[in-house]
Amino acid sequence: AQSVSQHNHHVILSEAASLELGCNYSYGGTVNLFWYVQYPGQHLQLLLKYFSGDPLVKGIKGFEAEFIKSKFSFNLRKPSVQWSDTAEYFCAVNSGNTPLVFGKGTRLSVIA
Amino acid sequence: KAGVTQTPRYLIKTRGQQVTLSCSPISGHRSVSWYQQTPGQGLQFLFEYFSETQRNKGNFPGRFSGRQFSNSRSEMNVSTLELGDSALYLCASSPFPGVGIDTQYFGPGTRLTVL
């Protein structure tokens, strides 16, 4: 069965700091990878997704993620965070038409 | 285009009761999935429906059930509630089953508290 690990439970950064959130998955076949964000009091929404092609994926709000197949990783990055990036971030994986499997999430707090 | 709607938004029940949650997908979306979100476990998949048929089911006890109607609206039911069922229940819709090119859109969730 697929599983997703997000190693950072809570990350605290100052504004303008760079962000990298780790995500590792366990599945040897072809996967689709996602990062979702849940801002306080808001719906879960898609940040970016990887299906195939260029392993460096750019999403909304300046976020990007890199798929490294040999490391089973799909880390999320942003060069300079803002206070408005405070949210919970979820990595997810699926294969073909299987349901999404989510990581347990990483809470990001950005302080001024 | 209206998003995914879930009713009720908040619910308080006591142990042993049962509860029914409702989800209306985005117009034209025929696939509905349900997830349970808790602080300790994150988001866990409950089940997926398409054309009134359950396509996938997560690892939850039989107290959790669901159904989908011909208009694609879906309900989930939890019988004999336990304290551990307290969670945010999220519904997501997509045009077709699975999450490939057709990305799921999530609703705001129903916050269930079991006392």
Side-chain angles (χ1 to χ4, degrees):
Chain A
Q2 296 166 346
S3 66
V4 177
S5 296
Q6 292 183 243
H7 309 295
N8 310 104
H9 179 63
H10 187 193
V11 172
I12 303 173
L13 294 174
S14 299
E15 277 194 329
S18 65
L19 169 72
E20 180 159 4
L21 301 182
C23 171
N24 288 92
Y25 64 93
S26 68
Y27 183 71
T30 302
V31 293
N32 303 312
L33 295 155
F34 306 81
W35 275 98
Y36 283 85
V37 61
Q38 192 172 36
Y39 297 104
Q42 293 190 27
H43 301 195
L44 199 66
Q45 57 185 283
L46 183 70
L47 264 182
L48 47 78
K49 59 191 175 187
Y50 172 81
F51 294 146
S52 63
D54 187 345
L56 185 60
V57 179
K58 294 194 185 298
I60 60 172
K61 304 187 180 187
F63 286 91
E64 65 178 31
E66 185 175 13
F67 170 51
I68 303 180
K69 189 174 182 179
S70 60
K71 294 184 178 180
F72 297 91
S73 71
F74 190 57
N75 292 354
L76 181 71
R77 301 194 293 246
K78 186 172 184 179
S80 175
V81 294
Q82 302 171 311
W83 178 81
S84 58
D85 294 324
T86 295
E88 189 150 18
Y89 294 81
F90 294 91
C91 182
V93 63
N94 91 310
S95 178
N97 285 331
T98 62
L100 277 176
V101 175
F102 284 86
K104 293 188 178 182
T106 296
R107 187 156 64 98
L108 172 65
S109 299
V110 180
I111 55 178
Chain B
K1 196 176 202 182
V4 178
T5 57
Q6 293 186 243
T7 56
R9 293 291 313 277
Y10 301 91
L11 208 48
I12 299 175
K13 292 285 187 179
T14 56
R15 276 183 302 174
Q17 287 187 309
Q18 76 162 19
V19 66
T20 299
L21 313 181
S22 179
C23 171
S24 293
I26 290 172
S27 177
H29 285 194
R30 295 165 59 198
S31 178
V32 173
S33 296
W34 288 89
Y35 297 85
Q36 181 195 64
Q37 184 178 6
T38 58
Q41 298 299 318
L43 283 103
Q44 293 183 286
F45 171 76
L46 279 157
F47 21 68
E48 178 187 39
Y49 287 89
F50 176 71
S51 292
E52 302 177 65
T53 301
Q54 187 181 90
R55 288 190 71 250
N56 284 297
K57 189 176 193 305
N59 190 25
F60 278 82
R63 301 185 296 106
F64 291 81
S65 63
R67 58 179 175 167
Q68 187 180 34
F69 302 95
S70 58
N71 61 358
S72 295
R73 190 177 70 84
S74 177
E75 288 181 349
M76 67 163 280
N77 184 277
V78 188
S79 62
T80 320
L81 284 166
E82 301 177 359
L83 295 179
D85 298 332
S86 294
L88 182 66
Y89 290 88
L90 295 174
C91 168
S93 77
S94 61
F96 299 104
V99 183
I101 304 299
D102 308 302
T103 305
Q104 289 184 336
Y105 292 86
F106 284 82
T110 293
R111 173 77 61 186
L112 171 65
T113 302
V114 182
L115 303 176

